[in-house]
Amino acid sequence: MHIDNEIKLDFKDVLIRPKRSTLSSRSKVDLVRPFKFLHSKIEYSGVPIIAANMDTTGTFEMAHALGKHDLSVALHKYYAAEDYVEFFKKLKVKSNAFYSLGIGSSDLKKFEEVMEKAPGAIQYVCIDVANGYTETFVSFVSSFRKKFPDLVIMAGNVVTGDMTEELILAGADIVKVGIGPGSVCTTRKMTGVGYPQLSATIECADAAHGLGGLICADGGCTRPGDIAKAFGAGADFVMLGGMFAGHEESGGEVIQKDGKKLRAFYGMSSKSAMDKYAGGVARYRAAEGKTVYLEDRGSVEGTVQDILGGVRSACTYVGAKRLKELTKRTTFVRVTQQLNEIFGKS
Ligand code: 5GP
């Protein structure tokens, strides 16, 4: 038995230390990043924030709303093939939407059908499994890369440098990082498995960048400051579920309770999701996600402004003119307290 005694950190354990800067206004900060992907060689230019491929955030409506600000959406995988065909045929900026799939044969079949009916329309793909450590997953990524050399492949999830490298070598352009940090995830509770997200981001980014690959920090951001910390830690992309949930553009059942409008938000491995898509929780497994009801947050527009404003301001505090410079200019300080909550937790 081995214990790694080095302390691993989460967003809540650190703050970003301010630095001297010549920047006079946050409006001068450029959040658009250019990338050229390692395998597909495609050139990307956008704000590298992605709504999660959950059916309550990865919707067509969300893609339209976030696309206006150059952000992206990883679509959930439960639309009908013809709906994807229609959506992708009309999509102008390809990086606004990732097509998501798991590694099951029905997911692949649906993807190939959409590719056939909308040739050239999809450029960005997210191959997503809860546990990216299996050989089956790595060989799926590798054969997918052989079949589709020109697509941008994001694949995950993993939380360690060794597996990040393995996925990049197998053909991933972007490795998705995060096991257990999600707002509606119960993996850590049910399995005891996980890795603090800030450290996972730092370690996986280091491994990926060494090979010319990129990472997407997925899960655990609860406020704009956490997104700034994820970028500061080396994330090239950041994926958000909970922060984009509960809006008009999110999917999810709407209910009225005590005169309030609430929207359901649940993990993709929760009982709610499995009841909806898999005819219930299979006997051999336990649900690893939960369901919450969020007060309606209106249009996602306001949330996008908050997020972009927060990240821009973080850049100004450390003197980063461009998002690209944020990592270089970030020094984290370990803290025992984040916020003064004397007047409440919001
Ligand atoms: P959030 O931004 O809400 O903290 O995290 C979003 C991420 O949580 C998703 O992108 C996905 O990786 C993860 N996630 C979504 N549903 C589930 C689930 O049911 N179980 C687990 N373990 N993770 C989930």
Side-chain angles (χ1 to χ4, degrees), residues 52-54 128 130 157 176 178 180-187 218-222 239-243 265-270 288-290:
N53 51 314
M54 303 166 76
D128 189 33
N157 281 20
K176 201 147 70 74
S183 58
V184 282
C185 159
T186 56
T187 292
D218 173 23
C221 290
T222 58
M239 181 172 271
L240 307 173
M243 287 187 71
F265 175 52
Y266 46 83
M268 294 316 292
S269 308
S270 65
E288 285 180 28
K290 62 183 175 187

Side-chain angles (χ1 to χ4, degrees), residues 254-274:
V254 176
I255 60 163
Q256 297 287 338
K257 197 174 175 199
D258 304 330
K260 285 184 185 148
K261 187 173 171 188
L262 306 179
R263 289 180 189 272
F265 175 52
Y266 46 83
M268 294 316 292
S269 308
S270 65
K271 184 172 181 312
S272 299
M274 288 194 261

